[in-house]
């Protein structure tokens, strides 16, 4: 897996050399997840720090920003920084609220991650709240798909 880390570092450097800051942000977002999975706290936190700074510098908002914030927050949580993670999950939620309709499936993933961070802090009521929010979104989607499938079979 170190080869993947080397690959990501190479492409981050290339993006930097060419002045492609958007590409660099994309690679940093991938690095956040990679180093989280590899439990490489030093490189993971560096990717989070650099990614969040670049995200702000570029002024990116909306779903893309929310997704990058979630990647970074999840890395922070995995490195034992649940309080910091929750602050960035809240920023991601604001990005999603400004860009998505309530009940969008992307909220389910966000709420699930928020719930895990609250659980790690021992805040079980908050964890339960966000787990249930995520479940409500996913359940509504499942029922929608079941109803569409039933309607399509009925029409055949």
């Amino acid at each position: 897996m170190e080869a993947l880390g080397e690959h990501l570092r190479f492409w981050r450097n290339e993006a930097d050399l060419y002045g492609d800051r958007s590409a660099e942000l994309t690679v940093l977002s991938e690095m956040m997840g990679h180093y989280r999975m590899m439990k490489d706290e030093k490189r993971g936190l560096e990717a989070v720090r650099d990614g969040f700074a670049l995200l702000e510098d570029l002024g990116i908002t909306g779903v893309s920003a929310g997704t990058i914030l979630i990647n970074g927050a999840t890395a922070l949580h995995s490195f034992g920084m649940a309080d910091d993670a929750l602050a960035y999950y809240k920023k991601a939620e604001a990005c999603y609220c400004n860009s998505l309709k309530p009940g969008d499936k992307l909220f389910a993933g966000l709420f699930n991650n928020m719930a895990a961070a609250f659980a790690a802090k021992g805040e079980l009521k908050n964890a339960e709240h966000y787990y249930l929010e995520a479940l409500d979104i996913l359940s509504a989607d499942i029922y929608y798909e079941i109803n569409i499938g039933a309607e399509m079979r009925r029409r055949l």
Side-chain angles (χ1 to χ4, degrees):
M1 285 298 217
E2 180 50 31
L4 179 56
E6 288 177 28
H7 182 76
L8 290 169
R9 289 189 301 275
F10 171 82
W11 286 109
R12 179 188 180 190
N13 188 54
E14 288 293 299
D16 184 48
L17 286 173
Y18 286 99
D20 189 342
R21 298 178 80 207
S22 293
E24 184 178 5
L25 181 58
T26 298
V27 175
L28 281 165
S29 184
E30 292 301 319
M31 291 171 90
M32 292 173 197
H34 172 70
Y35 292 125
R36 173 180 57 86
M37 296 298 291
M38 295 295 99
K39 299 180 183 355
D40 186 338
E41 185 172 344
K42 181 179 182 268
R43 286 182 171 152
L45 292 176
E46 180 182 305
V48 170
R49 182 196 67 228
D50 293 352
F52 286 174
L54 190 51
L55 184 66
E56 188 173 318
D57 286 350
L58 293 172
I60 296 172
T61 60
V63 175
S64 295
T67 300
I68 292 166
L69 289 164
I70 291 168
N71 285 347
T74 303
L76 292 170
H77 177 211
S78 76
F79 297 132
M81 304 168 75
D83 285 325
D84 293 327
L86 284 164
Y88 286 104
Y89 286 138
K90 284 293 186 183
K91 289 182 178 188
E93 184 177 16
C95 291
Y96 280 5
C97 284
N98 290 330
S99 303
L100 300 171
K101 293 179 182 176
D104 188 284
K105 285 190 278 188
L106 290 176
F107 281 108
L110 169 62
F111 293 156
N112 186 65
N113 284 317
M114 290 175 77
F118 276 119
K121 291 178 47 158
E123 294 184 25
L124 302 183
K125 286 288 184 195
N126 285 326
E128 179 183 40
H129 168 78
Y130 282 102
Y131 278 133
L132 291 173
E133 288 288 323
L135 187 59
D136 284 348
I137 292 167
L138 294 175
S139 296
D141 190 57
I142 289 169
Y143 291 126
Y144 173 79
E145 290 179 15
I146 289 170
N147 288 335
I148 292 295
E151 180 63 21
M152 290 176 74
R153 280 191 299 280
R154 187 184 69 74
R155 291 182 182 198
L156 292 177

